């Protein structure tokens, strides 16, 4: 049973955090809420294997968002992560190393959200598919229409999936910037 004495008020207790295989010490760890992500990545995870350099961390699943490697001083708290454009979600941390192109991640994310949208609301159903289509059709730049699609999805999607898709895409664009252009 998690201790309510752990964590940082008002978010007390512990959370199971899963670190993916790219870490030197992957696995599941129980940590107090409020633990800095840097502690999770460097101390528990031991950094990255085989000399790879950390470029980004995906937190909380595909819709949880991305943080840059230099933004790891944020505590593992829902409010703190939300303020940085990410979400705690299930607290899984996926290390993305410097060999993974931002454009490939963006394409993968758009394909994922387009295929996983339930189709129950038009903003998400149409927005996710249109985002994937735009990225596939545009060879060298991230289409400016992304901003409009993301704004509509964020404001009008009926469930958290559409808003989460927005968080993921915006996080990738923030971390990778111009590198998401072909």
């Amino acid at each position: 049973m998690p201790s309510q004495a752990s964590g940082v008020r008002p978010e007390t207790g512990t959370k199971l955090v899963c670190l993916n295989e790219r870490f030197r010490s992957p696995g599941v760890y129980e940590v107090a809420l409020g633990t800095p992500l840097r502690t999770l990545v460097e101390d528990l995870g031991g950094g990255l294997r085989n000399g790879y350099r950390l470029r980004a961390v995906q937190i909380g699943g595909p819709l949880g968002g991305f943080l840059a490697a230099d933004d790891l001083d944020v505590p593992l708290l829902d409010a703190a992560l939300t303020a940085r454009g990410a979400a705690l979600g299930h607290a899984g941390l996926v290390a993305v190393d410097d060999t993974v192109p931002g454009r490939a991640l963006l394409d993968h994310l758009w394909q994922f959200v387009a295929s996983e949208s339930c189709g129950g609301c038009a903003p998400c159903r149409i927005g996710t598919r249109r985002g994937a289509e735009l990225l596939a059709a545009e060879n060298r730049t991230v289409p400016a229409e992304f901003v409009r699609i993301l704004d509509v999805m964020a404001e009008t999607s009926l469930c958290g999936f559409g808003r989460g898709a927005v968080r993921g895409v915006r996080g990738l664009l923030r971390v990778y910037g111009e590198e998401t252009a072909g």
Side-chain angles (χ1 to χ4, degrees):
M1 178 69 86
S3 166
Q4 291 301 313
S6 298
V8 176
R9 289 182 186 259
E11 298 179 46
T12 58
T14 61
K15 185 83 170 169
L16 293 176
V17 176
C18 184
L19 305 181
N20 76 326
E21 84 291 339
R22 189 51 89 192
F23 289 98
R24 280 196 175 103
S25 299
V28 179
Y29 300 89
E30 183 177 16
V31 300
L33 286 168
T35 302
L37 292 182
R38 186 169 310 284
T39 300
L40 303 177
V41 169
E42 294 175 0
D43 297 343
L44 294 178
L48 288 145
R49 303 177 177 246
N50 303 325
Y52 288 105
R53 189 175 61 94
L54 183 67
R55 179 59 194 272
V57 173
Q58 180 189 50
I59 185 162
L63 308 180
F66 291 82
L67 295 173
D70 60 357
D71 199 18
L72 296 179
D73 293 319
V74 60
L76 187 71
L77 295 169
D78 190 52
L81 290 165
T82 298
R84 294 220 173 48
L88 181 58
H90 58 58
L93 292 181
V94 175
V96 180
D97 67 60
D98 58 348
T99 67
V100 179
R103 179 64 177 239
L105 277 174
L106 186 60
D107 181 59
H108 180 76
L109 182 58
W110 274 118
Q111 292 299 321
F112 172 80
V113 296
S115 69
E116 293 299 316
S117 171
C118 76
C121 73
C124 186
R125 179 182 67 248
I126 296 168
T128 57
R129 291 182 183 127
R130 184 67 182 138
E133 290 168 359
L134 283 170
L135 191 63
E138 191 68 37
N139 292 327
R140 305 205 38 96
T141 62
V142 172
E145 191 176 339
F146 270 9
V147 174
R148 190 172 74 247
I149 289 171
L150 294 172
D151 287 346
V152 168
M153 287 176 61
E155 292 296 321
T156 60
S157 292
L158 294 178
C159 77
F161 186 87
R163 292 183 297 277
V166 169
R167 184 175 38 248
V169 170
R170 284 185 174 154
L172 273 174
L173 295 174
R174 184 177 53 253
V175 170
Y176 285 88
E178 292 299 316
E179 293 178 48
T180 55

